Amino acid sequence: MADVVTQQHHLRGVLLASVACMLWGVSGVAASTLFILNAHVTPLWLTQVRMITAGLILLIMGLIIGTHPFEIFKQRSTSMRVISYGLLGLVPVQWCYFEAVKFGSAPIATIIQFLGPFIISIYYFLFKHTKPSRAEGIGMVIAFVGTFLIVTHGHLNSLAISPVVLFWGGLSAIGVATNTLLPRPLLPKFGAINVTGWGLFLAGICLNVFGPLWLVPVTLTWQEVGLIAFIVLFGTIFPFLMFAHALGYILPTTASLLDAFEPLSATVFSVIFLNVQLTGFDLVGGSLIIIAVMILSINAQKILNLFRRWRTD
């Protein structure tokens, strides 16, 4: 009976994490649709609306369930870290991602952003003097080949995607790294809902420095309002809660493998609903990057040891 319950919990975790990652991918497609429908909706404006609204909802949830959201500001160190998390983590991973979506497409933007785990490995190598493992080294080479194919389509003397897309996509990939590293010391004490809620809300408020939200003359149709609501609810709040809940049932390594559903869903829905045309180079390069992240996420040495043991038995 215990094994059955464990299997059910594992399956529940896998389903929650998979759906969460798919929703993140679909939210990029929704944003791309919004940019096409309304020229006045900019990535900056959409990010501000998304962050402030989602942040407020999460903080209100924190108050309702009694997690004391304001405790995080009782110490200067935790206050500065949550502000840094919002500005250096959430801003690039959301604003820069939307910029890459607008100038390129949701699939390409999501695939470039998927390089974030390798930036974390480079950070640990440069600043923590931690050498990459064999799996990380192999994964980096595969990811480089995949990125090369997407960016050049095999031609060394030209770029297949706009440098603007590469710039914003690269910043969003760096954002994945900072978004992962910065909040980690805060999570055990203050909880994911409060940390993410404050990060989103503060980042959204600070983005008004680049363009006050209330001064942008945006007129929305009901369809566009629905897309924004989808991005806030199903592209931010629900997948965040689902993914956080999934981590209670599955290992972080398993959850990181399921991240592959994000670029896959962005690609599939962009092709179906937006008629986005992807070349063979894009598909092969994206597949290589996904495979590379999977290699990074699994314990390759453990698998090799099991294989050797199987051969000797």
Side-chain angles (χ1 to χ4, degrees):
M1 179 64 70
D3 291 338
V4 174
V5 174
T6 301
Q7 290 176 358
Q8 289 177 345
H9 285 174
H10 181 79
L11 178 59
R12 183 183 303 172
V14 169
L15 289 175
L16 285 171
S18 300
V19 173
C21 293
M22 285 190 285
L23 287 174
W24 278 321
V26 176
S27 71
V29 181
S32 184
T33 304
L34 195 58
F35 297 145
I36 294 171
L37 292 176
N38 194 326
H40 295 288
V41 175
T42 65
L44 176 61
W45 184 88
L46 181 58
T47 304
Q48 290 170 311
V49 172
R50 178 190 195 183
M51 284 183 158
I52 293 173
T53 306
L56 279 175
I57 292 174
L58 287 173
L59 292 173
I60 292 171
M61 288 177 58
L63 285 171
I64 292 173
I65 64 178
T67 57
H68 308 291
F70 293 96
E71 291 287 327
I72 201 169
F73 293 106
K74 287 190 174 181
Q75 295 181 3
R76 186 175 183 274
S77 59
T78 56
S79 301
M80 295 305 297
R81 181 166 285 273
V82 75
I83 293 172
S84 300
Y85 163 54
L87 297 181
L88 302 179
L90 290 170
V91 166
V93 87
Q94 297 200 25
W95 178 26
C96 298
Y97 170 72
F98 278 161
E99 292 283 2
V101 168
K102 180 177 181 179
F103 288 105
S105 66
I108 296 300
T110 309
I111 289 170
I112 295 175
Q113 188 184 62
F114 208 59
L115 293 168
F118 295 100
I119 296 176
I120 296 175
S121 297
I122 294 171
Y123 165 80
Y124 274 102
F125 175 70
L126 294 177
F127 298 100
K128 302 294 184 179
H129 307 293
T130 302
K131 292 183 178 180
S133 65
R134 181 181 300 179
E136 289 173 333
I138 294 172
M140 286 181 185
V141 172
I142 295 175
F144 173 79
V145 174
T147 306
F148 173 80
L149 290 176
I150 291 174
V151 172
T152 67
H153 284 186
H155 301 289
L156 293 173
N157 59 345
S158 63
L159 293 179
I161 63 174
S162 167
V164 176
V165 177
L166 192 58
F167 171 76
W168 288 112
L171 287 181
S172 71
I174 295 174
V176 170
T178 52
N179 186 60
T180 302
L181 297 172
L182 286 173
R184 289 180 67 182
L186 300 173
L187 295 173
K189 183 175 181 181
F190 301 105
I193 290 179
N194 291 334
V195 174
T196 306
W198 279 120
L200 286 168
F201 179 72
L202 294 173
I205 294 297
C206 290
L207 280 178
N208 283 284
V209 173
F210 298 97
L213 177 66
W214 54 89
L215 294 182
V216 180
V218 176
T219 302
L220 301 171
T221 65
W222 283 111
Q223 180 185 8
E224 292 160 1
V225 171
L227 286 170
I228 293 173
F230 179 88
I231 292 169
V232 171
L233 296 175
F234 295 95
T236 310
I237 296 174
F238 289 163
F240 157 72
L241 294 174
M242 292 168 68
F243 199 83
H245 192 58
L247 291 176
Y249 298 115
I250 58 177
L251 296 173
T253 50
T254 304
S256 62
L257 289 175
L258 298 172
D259 280 344
F261 279 107
E262 184 174 350
L264 288 175
S265 64
T267 300
V268 171
F269 283 95
S270 291
V271 171
I272 294 175
F273 293 106
L274 299 180
N275 198 28
V276 172
Q277 301 297 320
L278 297 175
T279 68
F281 287 106
D282 294 327
L283 295 174
V284 172
S287 299
L288 287 175
I289 291 174
I290 292 172
I291 291 171
V293 173
M294 288 183 172
I295 292 174
L296 182 68
S297 303
I298 62 178
N299 191 331
Q301 188 60 48
K302 184 176 180 180
I303 292 175
L304 287 174
N305 291 338
L306 288 174
F307 178 73
R308 289 167 184 161
R309 188 182 306 169
W310 174 75
R311 290 190 63 185
T312 55
D313 289 344

